[in-house]
Amino acid sequence: MNSRLQIWHPFTQEAVDPPPLRVDRAEGVYLYTSDGRRLIDGISSWWVNIHGHCHPAIMAAIAEQTKKLDHVLLAGFTHHGVEELCSRLRRFLPAGLEHLFFSDNGSTAVEVALKMAVQYWRNSGRPKKQGIVALEHAYHGDTVGAMSVSAPSSFTDPFRSFLFPVHRVHSAYCFRCPVGKVRATCSIDCVDQLARLLEEKHDEIAAVIVEPLLQGAGGMIVHPVEFLQQVRRLCSEFDVLLIADEVLTGFGRTGKMFASEVAGIAPDLICLSKGITGGALPMGATACTSRIHDAFVSHDRSRTFWHGHSYTGNPLAAAAAVASLRVFEEEPVFDRIATIAQIHSARLEQLRGHEAVGDVRSIGTVGAVELYADDAGYLSKLKPVLYDFFLNSGILLRPLGNIIYVLPPYVITRDELNYIYDRIANSLEVVQELRAAGKHASGAAK
Ligand code: PLP
């Protein structure tokens, strides 16, 4: 017997991070810990939980499904859950996305999209079109393909030699504009770099991958809709596929069901996960157009998409996902989303101009405050200080270094969300005290 087996926690540095909090149960917006605390889950447990924890309809759907079918492989078999999910998703997905491929999480949804894009061109007799274009500040997951398209960072550094090369182009990070413009007067000049690249190299490029409108882990960077619209226009003009990684932005996060819809565009491939099951069970999915799908249909078996995960299309996860989509139809989910969006805007405006605050930004249910810091970035020393401060205030927020963000389940009440913003306002005083003590932050550094 191995009596030394221990849990190795994700994104955790045991040498310095506090020990994990044990959670016994969760309900709505709250997590209840073994030591008797009640925490507001201000980040929807890594952005997955959209309708609140243990939503009765989702829990009941999973329980019901356990009586019928636990799991069956999806090669050569199908089942009611994936079929119903597919027909319900059809009502919401951007036009033209007509084929749905299941996987297990956000990273695999991205891997599938990348592989589909590359093989699509090969199957279409244009094997030179293999290149992938990705944005600065991107984050698409932790598997090797997803890391390759993510921006280089301390997450990816140890694996640099394993990552495939990509074309990296500017993102529309207006607060730190890559081309030195100001949003009020710019013409989305940051997209010119992509335009030049596609003009020159479109014969060698399979796809452009973006997190539409909101780059999440890269710093909750909100793009102007015109940026995404221009990217779509350029991809169409140069016959390059557009992959929208909506793993975070999907299922209402940015104010509509999908960020693509907010911008009025339709991608060629879309990656889904996180909120797809309402946050109850893992599931990934990649949808594509018939043009892409049909290039794989052939009597020549070498054109097959040879990809699949053991738990692909798991019936319990599918039941949860169907129940989550029903919640969208049966509850005033988009009213809740609009209320959150309105509170984000109002409360963030009050924080703008504070000495410690560089930028505030929001889209739909996501609000963010970028603090000045002389060690700006994911490893900023502000993070542990702020994380502890919020936990001690009864709130789970996990700042991305010097960027505090709020990404709550949609059932959060006005009072709960205002409470979070009151504590964020208090936290700025803590930041200023640290600054005065010359420890962590500096107003001079951006
Ligand atoms: N894509 C985006 C935009 C994400 O935000 C994430 C995770 O945060 C992923 C992909 C990876 O998802 P997962 O952690 O489920 O693999």
Side-chain angles (χ1 to χ4, degrees):
M1 191 176 104
N2 179 356
S3 57
R4 289 175 58 84
L5 186 63
Q6 306 278 326
I7 297 166
W8 187 340
H9 290 266
F11 278 93
T12 301
Q13 178 43 265
E14 284 175 38
V16 292
D17 289 341
L21 288 175
R22 178 180 289 110
V23 172
D24 292 338
R25 67 185 185 91
E27 189 180 345
V29 83
Y30 290 105
L31 303 171
Y32 296 87
T33 64
S34 300
D35 62 4
R37 288 200 255 174
R38 187 179 82 153
L39 300 173
I40 300 178
D41 187 349
I43 58 163
S44 305
S45 281
W46 264 346
W47 322 345
V48 301
N49 190 276
I50 53 176
H51 304 304
H53 288 279
C54 290
H55 189 290
I58 299 175
M59 296 299 107
I62 296 169
E64 196 51 36
Q65 182 61 39
T66 61
K67 296 178 196 159
K68 291 182 280 198
L69 177 64
D70 53 351
H71 185 61
V72 64
L73 73 167
L74 214 58
F77 290 85
T78 184
H79 57 84
H80 177 72
V82 281
E83 288 169 358
E84 188 175 356
L85 177 53
C86 190
S87 70
R88 278 181 183 269
L89 259 183
R90 200 180 290 146
R91 300 179 205 163
F92 297 105
L93 279 176
L97 297 172
E98 291 171 346
H99 299 272
L100 190 61
F101 191 97
F102 287 101
S103 61
D104 295 350
N105 53 54
S107 303
T108 54
V110 167
E111 298 283 349
V112 165
L114 294 170
K115 288 175 69 174
M116 273 183 183
V118 168
Q119 194 180 339
Y120 163 75
W121 291 112
R122 187 175 188 266
N123 286 2
S124 305
R126 299 181 68 185
K128 271 201 185 152
K129 277 173 82 72
Q130 300 275 296
I132 303 289
V133 184
L135 300 185
E136 291 164 355
H137 309 290
Y139 176 76
H140 295 287
D142 296 338
T143 52
V144 172
M147 281 197 294
S148 301
V149 287
S150 298
S153 71
S154 41
F155 301 176
T156 62
D157 264 1
F159 317 104
R160 212 177 303 155
S161 61
F162 294 94
L163 306 184
F164 59 74
V166 302
H167 302 276
R168 187 74 55 192
V169 296
H170 293 323
S171 117
Y173 190 174
C174 300
F175 177 58
R176 298 169 188 272
C177 177
V179 290
K181 301 275 171 154
V182 175
R183 176 66 197 111
T185 51
C186 85
S187 317
I188 315 291
D189 309 73
C190 51
V191 87
D192 292 351
Q193 194 188 23
L194 174 66
R196 284 193 299 273
L197 175 70
L198 294 189
E199 191 169 4
E200 197 186 320
K201 298 225 158 101
H202 59 94
D203 278 341
E204 300 162 25
I205 292 176
V208 176
I209 182 166
V210 296
E211 290 158 89
L213 301 186
L214 175 70
Q215 291 185 293
M220 295 298 157
I221 300 163
V222 179
H223 297 164
V225 287
E226 294 86 348
F227 178 76
L228 181 57
Q229 291 164 344
Q230 299 266 20
V231 172
R232 172 68 274 182
R233 184 185 59 73
L234 289 167
C235 287
S236 302
E237 187 180 335
F238 292 107
D239 205 12
V240 164
L241 300 175
L242 175 60
I243 303 172
D245 174 356
E246 296 234 22
V247 166
L248 162 60
T249 53
F251 303 99
R253 272 290 162 212
T254 62
K256 297 208 175 195
M257 201 59 163
F258 296 104
S260 300
E261 193 186 336
V262 175
I265 64 117
D268 301 292
L269 297 120
I270 195 168
C271 310
L272 308 174
S273 188
K274 293 199 184 273
I276 192 170
T277 63
L281 286 168
M283 171 173 264
T286 306
C288 71
T289 59
S290 290
R291 173 191 175 194
I292 295 171
H293 167 266
D294 293 355
F296 289 77
V297 181
S298 167
H299 289 284
D300 173 359
R301 281 187 169 269
S302 70
R303 291 188 176 201
T304 308
F305 191 51
W306 296 118
H307 188 110
H309 302 278
S310 314
Y311 284 101
T312 283
N314 173 259
L316 301 174
V322 168
S324 176
L325 288 181
R326 278 215 188 99
V327 173
F328 275 96
E329 291 174 5
E330 291 167 7
E331 296 184 19
V333 177
F334 282 99
D335 292 346
R336 292 172 186 153
I337 288 171
T339 302
I340 295 171
Q342 179 252 318
I343 297 173
H344 278 324
S345 307
R347 296 300 308 259
L348 287 169
E349 262 334 292
Q350 292 168 3
L351 299 176
R352 194 190 288 283
H354 186 286
E355 259 188 293
V357 173
D359 189 27
V360 297
R361 35 190 188 255
S362 70
I363 182 167
T365 64
V366 184
V369 182
E370 177 162 345
L371 302 172
Y372 288 122
D374 46 21
D375 61 349
Y378 188 79
L379 297 179
S380 169
K381 292 191 192 68
L382 285 174
K383 189 231 157 152
V385 176
L386 291 166
Y387 181 71
D388 285 352
F389 175 86
F390 293 123
L391 275 187
N392 290 332
S393 308
I395 305 166
L396 166 56
L397 291 184
R398 256 180 85 94
L400 295 158
N402 58 312
I403 296 165
I404 303 171
Y405 70 93
V406 189
L407 201 153
Y410 306 155
V411 291
I412 195 164
T413 64
R414 284 174 182 274
D415 285 352
E416 287 157 348
L417 190 50
N418 278 313
Y419 173 77
I420 293 179
Y421 274 106
D422 291 344
R423 297 293 80 78
I424 290 176
N426 296 151
S427 77
L428 300 183
E429 305 318 316
V430 175
V431 171
Q432 289 299 80
E433 280 163 27
L434 285 174
R435 185 180 157 198
K439 277 195 186 154
H440 297 315
S442 148
K446 278 203 175 177

